[in-house]
């Protein structure tokens, strides 16, 4: 098909003795300041949408997705005093509303409804946190999908928003002081007037905002000017005794620092100085901290540290298990630990002296976590979900070790008709990799298959209920989720085996998954599509270049596609600890070997490619997808299309209005269905 014309410019740079051409670097310019980029974006998006509008399955998928999303979705409540705070989406609301309930079974009252904040529905409620007494609530506003936040404060009794306004918050939590006098949050310095939206971020710091004061008076709590590219996230222990700050380079590990809030000078004490392992403070009993760590235990363990000791040191409490420690909470005087065993959850209870104290029964095989409650309160909440089990909120009684349904959605799809199985396949080097396969019970082999994975940052692809994915399954397609290396399914070792100079293992695992699906007769020979977003978008771009013959269609979303320049934009410097540093000679060779923008194989037939991004994504800037698609369109790759769909006023995915999300998914699934032969 004919594509909009894309200008090529003469940019050639030598890096470590290698000549690197970058003819589409001009597409890195911000469209708001570069009319030529804005015109190119418009032409590309119009061409893509014109093609997508002609696909026969698009209307069917749009209607089906609307039906599958149309059920009430709640988050687990946060209890403060006698009030319970949670978000609720009635089904097709563009944005979820924030609700408060007086008493666990009392009437609901809407506190914040962001659906009226903008005409296009793209302004969303992001992070939020109620004060300890339940009288005030700090909440963050996200506009157009950006990672930037503006924090405001609501008086819960009157419903009025206070004058306090916090700007330039990003990668932040909101953690109230015990007395409700203010809260901790994280921000970057305000950019200058000539600051570019894509400019590299540096100088993240934790501040304390006292109610009723100007942001200029906020107290700097923690920063690392000598390490300006770290991010710092703050929390406060249940008893209000300590602020806890986690510092991280973005991947690989975190270093916890504790701030003693009982002293007026708020002295800080860094517990771990390096970033080699992830640490998390589960809770405390007076000066004794309970922590999860991968230090000396790549699948996780529980240790304690008593800050009241003359020479505090870590003491083993609950040793590493065969399964991976995935979540932990101190509730009702018990430790509740959620483990991943082959990417499925099991929950165990322990006394605070480390002795086993039973199991927490789950309703089936799936994913459970997000335990929400207080260390001194026996009441808590958690979430359970699976591929064929809608996300359900359970109320947990820690004293009785019993659970009951607190909120369960009613869905229209017949979940008894959906089959879920887990298989294991061998990767290129013989490593056994698990993969979930989801399909209707009446679907025989082979059938058009959608293969997805992530494979980065230690993030596990666990069983979750997804109306988007079920739309593909309901129409007779097969969904395959591969738990490739780079994720956290088997702990730190599994993550490390797919990051930095081991990144090719992730791609080998994904390619092996596709080959397995065909060899086993699950996917037809020309009926396999691949899909992934962000790091998963990089994954899709890389494997398509390495094995274009394996796939009929590819759906890379908001992907990191230029691995030689990713660190130059917004928060990209945070990814060096995951991918490597383009300025390091050895890392450069690894990155160049798989960078999707640089490894396109002209003269080779390629699958159909629909790349998706957003015009204002300020995490993975859209220039990654722009340059990648421009290079695809310029290469000799056969007759199948290479298209670029650009969502307006959207970011990396968070805060996207549900109606626009449905439109985008319908386009993606219709495109994949057309090229894999799925009949809708």
């Amino acid at each position: 098909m004919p594509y909009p014309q894309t200008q090529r410019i003469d940019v050639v740079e030598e890096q470590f003795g290698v000549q690197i051409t970058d003819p589409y670097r001009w597409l890195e310019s911000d469209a708001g300041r570069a009319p030529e980029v804005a015109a190119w974006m418009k032409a590309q998006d119009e061409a893509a949408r014109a093609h997508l509008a002609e696909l026969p399955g698009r209307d069917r998928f749009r209607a089906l997705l609307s039906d599958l999303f149309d059920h009430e979705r709640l988050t687990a409540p946060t209890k403060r005093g006698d009030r319970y705070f949670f978000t609720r989406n009635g089904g097709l609301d563009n944005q979820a509303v924030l609700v408060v309930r007086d008493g666990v079974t009392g009437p609901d009252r809407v506190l914040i409804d962001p659906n009226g904040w903008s005409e296009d529905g793209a302004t969303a409620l992001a992070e939020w946190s109620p004060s300890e007494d339940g009288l005030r609530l700090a909440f963050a506003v996200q506009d157009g999908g950006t990672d930037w936040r503006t924090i405001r404060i609501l008086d819960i009794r009157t419903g009025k928003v206070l004058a306090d306004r916090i700007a330039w918050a990003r990668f932040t939590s909101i953690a109230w002081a015990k007395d409700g006098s203010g809260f901790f949050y994280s921000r970057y310095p305000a950019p200058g007037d000539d600051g570019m939206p894509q400019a590299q971020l540096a100088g993240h710091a934790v501040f304390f905002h006292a109610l009723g004061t100007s942001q200029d008076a906020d107290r700097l709590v923690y920063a690392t000017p000598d390490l300006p590219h770290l991010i710092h996230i703050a929390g406060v222990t249940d008893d209000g005794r300590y602020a806890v700050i986690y510092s991280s380079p973005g991947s690989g590990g975190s270093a916890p620092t504790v701030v003693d809030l009982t002293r007026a000078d708020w002295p800080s004490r860094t517990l771990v100085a390096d970033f080699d392992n992830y640490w998390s403070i589960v809770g405390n009993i007076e000066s004794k901290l309970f922590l999860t760590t991968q230090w000396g235990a790549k699948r996780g363990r529980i240790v304690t540290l008593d800050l009241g000791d003359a020479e505090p040191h870590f003491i083993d409490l609950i040793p590493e298990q065969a399964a991976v420690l995935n979540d932990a909470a101190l509730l009702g005087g018990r430790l509740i630990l959620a483990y991943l065993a082959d990417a499925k959850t099991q929950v165990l209870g322990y006394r605070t002296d480390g002795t086993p104290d039973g199991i927490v029964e789950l309703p089936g095989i799936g994913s459970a976590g997000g335990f929400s409650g207080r260390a001194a309160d026996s009441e808590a909440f958690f979430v359970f979900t699976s591929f064929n089990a809608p996300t359900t909120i359970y109320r947990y009684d820690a004293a009785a070790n019993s659970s009951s349904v607190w909120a369960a959605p009613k869905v229209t799809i017949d979940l008894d008709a959906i089959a879920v199985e887990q298989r294991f396949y061998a990767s290129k080097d013989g490593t056994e990799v698990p993969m979930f396969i989801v399909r209707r019970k009446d679907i025989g082999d082979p059938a058009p298959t959608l293969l997805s994975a992530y494979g980065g940052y230690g993030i596990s692809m666990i069983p979750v209920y997804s109306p988007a994915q079920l739309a593909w399954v309901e129409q007779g397609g097969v969904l395959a989720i591969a738990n490739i290396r780079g994720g956290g399914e088997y702990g730190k070792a599994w993550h490390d085996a797919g990051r930095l100079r081991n990144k090719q293992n992730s791609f080998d695992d994904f390619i092996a998954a596709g080959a397995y699906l065909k060899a086993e007769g699950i996917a037809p020979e020309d009926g396999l599509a691949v899909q992934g977003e962000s790091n998963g978008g990089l994954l899709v771009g890389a494997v398509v270049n390495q094995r274009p013959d394996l796939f009929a269609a590819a759906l890379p979303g908001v992907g990191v596609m230029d691995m030689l320049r990713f660190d130059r934009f917004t928060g990209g410097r945070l990814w060096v600890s995951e991918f490597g540093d383009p300025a390091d000679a050895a890392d450069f060779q690894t990155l160049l070997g798989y960078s999707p923008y640089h490894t396109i194989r002209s003269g080779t037939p390629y699958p159909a490619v629909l790349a998706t991004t957003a015009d204002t994504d300020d995490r993975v800037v859209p220039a990654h997808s722009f340059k990648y698609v421009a290079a695809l369109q310029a290469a000799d790759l056969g007759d199948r299309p290479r298209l670029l769909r650009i969502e307006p006023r959207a970011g990396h995915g968070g805060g996207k209005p549900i109606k626009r999300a449905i439109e985008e998914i319908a386009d993606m699934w219709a495109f994949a269905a057309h090229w894999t032969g799925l009949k809708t």
Side-chain angles (χ1 to χ4, degrees):
M1 64 174 289
Y3 301 113
Q5 187 173 4
T6 303
Q7 178 189 7
R8 290 176 60 93
I9 62 175
D10 187 17
V11 175
V12 182
E13 295 176 341
E14 182 175 308
Q15 294 179 251
F16 302 107
V18 180
Q19 297 293 309
I20 302 297
T21 61
D22 192 0
Y24 306 112
R25 184 172 295 181
W26 64 276
L27 290 171
E28 293 177 359
S29 299
D30 175 44
R33 301 171 184 239
E36 66 277 12
V37 176
W40 183 89
M41 286 171 47
K42 184 174 184 293
Q44 288 285 344
D45 188 56
E46 287 178 348
R49 290 178 189 262
H51 178 87
L52 294 167
E54 298 177 355
L55 297 177
R58 184 167 173 254
D59 291 341
R60 172 59 188 153
F61 273 118
R62 187 192 301 115
L64 178 58
L65 285 160
S66 295
D67 186 47
L68 290 173
F69 272 99
D70 194 8
H71 64 269
E72 188 176 60
R73 298 184 295 281
L74 276 62
T75 56
T78 297
K79 182 183 179 184
R80 294 293 182 267
D82 292 328
R83 289 177 168 152
Y84 296 76
F85 299 83
F86 55 95
T87 64
R88 179 181 65 209
N89 190 308
L92 297 177
D93 300 332
N94 273 326
Q95 304 292 344
V97 302
L98 181 63
V99 174
V100 64
R101 178 179 295 181
D102 293 321
V104 70
T105 59
D108 294 346
R109 175 165 59 97
V110 175
L111 284 178
I112 298 175
D113 184 353
N115 289 290
W117 285 353
S118 62
E119 291 186 4
D120 62 358
T123 305
L125 173 68
E127 297 79 12
W128 55 269
S129 177
S131 60
E132 186 66 26
D133 56 13
L135 297 180
R136 291 185 176 87
L137 182 130
F139 65 96
V141 179
Q142 177 189 29
D143 186 51
T146 179
D147 279 342
W148 293 109
R149 304 288 193 262
T150 300
I151 301 176
R152 305 300 307 274
I153 303 168
L154 178 74
D155 186 309
I156 293 170
R157 293 168 296 186
T158 66
K160 293 182 178 179
V161 177
L162 306 184
D164 307 52
R165 180 186 294 269
I166 308 299
W168 306 116
R170 186 170 177 143
F171 307 141
T172 188
S173 59
I174 300 173
W176 284 87
K178 183 79 169 180
D179 61 4
S181 60
F183 54 84
F184 299 87
Y185 70 97
S186 305
R187 58 161 292 188
Y188 283 100
D193 293 338
D194 59 347
M196 296 291 288
Q198 300 102 326
Q200 189 181 105
L201 297 171
H204 204 235
V206 174
F207 287 83
F208 179 81
H209 175 73
L211 295 187
T213 65
S214 166
Q215 184 174 6
D216 294 339
D218 286 357
R219 180 174 179 174
L220 175 63
V221 178
Y222 191 78
T224 53
D226 55 329
L227 296 171
H229 297 293
L230 296 180
I231 57 172
H232 310 287
I233 307 298
V236 175
T237 56
D238 284 358
D239 60 2
R241 183 169 183 165
Y242 302 110
V244 181
I245 298 167
Y246 299 99
S247 301
S248 173
S251 178
S254 58
T257 295
V258 172
V259 179
D260 187 349
L261 301 181
T262 66
R263 291 176 51 180
D265 57 344
W266 286 3
S268 63
R269 181 177 194 166
T270 297
L271 306 183
V272 179
D274 61 62
F275 309 103
D276 296 336
N277 300 281
Y278 283 108
W279 294 78
S280 177
I281 295 178
V282 180
N284 68 301
I285 298 176
E286 298 180 342
S287 62
K288 184 178 182 179
L289 304 178
F290 296 82
L291 306 95
T292 67
T293 182
Q294 297 173 325
W295 172 54
K298 292 189 175 183
R299 298 189 180 214
R301 60 175 171 154
I302 301 291
V303 299
T304 63
L305 180 73
D306 197 328
L307 296 177
D309 290 347
E311 296 182 4
H313 61 283
F314 296 110
I315 299 174
D316 287 338
L317 184 69
I318 301 172
E320 182 178 17
Q321 311 284 325
V324 176
L325 180 58
N326 191 56
D327 193 13
L330 182 59
L331 303 169
R334 301 173 72 224
L335 286 164
I336 305 298
L337 308 184
Y339 288 90
L340 281 184
D342 292 329
K344 304 179 293 290
T345 303
Q346 57 187 26
V347 182
L348 306 178
Y350 289 86
R351 298 188 181 96
T352 55
D353 64 1
T355 57
D357 194 25
I359 64 172
V360 178
E361 296 288 349
L362 299 178
I365 296 175
S367 304
F371 283 86
S372 171
R374 293 297 204 184
D377 192 345
S378 65
E379 180 185 51
F381 297 87
F382 69 91
V383 171
F384 179 83
T385 183
S386 191
F387 294 116
N388 55 357
T391 302
T392 300
I393 313 299
Y394 284 82
R395 183 170 181 251
Y396 176 64
D397 185 333
N401 190 25
S402 63
S403 304
S404 59
V405 173
W406 187 75
K410 296 180 180 179
V411 299
T412 55
I413 189 171
D414 179 10
L415 296 174
D416 290 334
I418 306 298
V420 180
E421 60 177 316
Q422 186 179 46
R423 297 197 184 188
F424 293 81
Y425 64 93
S427 188
K428 182 178 180 179
D429 62 359
T431 299
E432 288 288 305
V433 181
M435 177 164 56
F436 292 104
I437 297 173
V438 186
R439 52 188 159 180
R440 286 195 339 232
K441 292 178 180 177
D442 64 333
I443 297 298
D445 299 335
T449 300
L450 182 66
L451 171 63
S452 186
Y454 188 76
Y457 293 92
I459 295 173
S460 301
M461 298 291 283
I462 57 179
V464 296
Y465 186 79
S466 168
Q469 292 175 336
L470 282 177
W472 179 267
V473 174
E474 197 276 345
Q475 285 297 288
V478 177
L479 172 68
I481 306 292
N483 300 110
I484 64 177
R485 282 173 284 184
E489 288 86 349
Y490 293 106
K492 179 176 171 55
W494 197 251
H495 177 206
D496 289 344
R499 65 188 278 254
L500 299 173
R501 296 172 195 172
N502 295 323
K503 189 65 178 174
Q504 183 60 41
N505 286 333
S506 297
F507 310 138
D508 289 344
D509 291 356
F510 202 47
I511 289 169
Y516 174 88
L517 290 167
K518 288 187 177 184
E520 292 294 307
I522 296 169
E525 188 56 37
D526 195 30
L528 178 62
V530 280
Q531 183 266 336
E533 296 184 351
S534 195
N535 180 79
L538 158 64
L539 172 71
V540 170
V543 300
V544 165
N545 286 347
Q546 294 181 17
R547 284 293 307 275
D549 60 301
L550 193 58
F551 312 111
L555 303 169
V558 292
V560 187
M561 301 306 199
D562 185 344
M563 301 309 298
L564 303 186
R565 290 175 62 81
F566 70 84
D567 60 325
R568 299 168 185 249
F569 308 104
T570 62
R573 188 67 194 174
L574 295 170
W575 314 337
V576 167
S577 55
E578 180 72 17
F579 300 135
D581 189 344
D584 177 270
D587 287 350
F588 166 81
Q589 292 295 337
T590 299
L591 294 164
L592 180 60
Y594 67 78
S595 177
Y597 176 53
H598 297 94
T599 55
I600 294 167
R601 296 164 59 185
S602 191
T604 302
Y606 260 51
V609 178
L610 173 62
T612 54
T613 188
D615 60 351
T616 55
D617 187 344
D618 54 8
R619 190 176 308 175
V620 178
V621 294
H624 281 282
S625 294
F626 294 174
K627 293 168 66 175
Y628 166 69
V629 170
L632 286 175
Q633 291 177 352
D636 175 18
L637 302 175
D639 297 332
R640 296 190 179 189
R642 267 71 61 183
L643 303 175
L644 176 64
R645 186 189 189 280
I646 306 169
E647 188 68 20
R649 257 180 59 77
H652 201 58
K656 185 179 294 183
I658 188 67
K659 292 179 176 60
R660 283 165 54 183
I662 286 172
E663 291 284 342
E664 182 178 59
I665 298 163
D667 283 350
M668 291 164 56
W669 285 184
F671 185 84
H674 178 74
W675 292 105
T676 60
L678 180 66
K679 304 300 182 183
T680 58

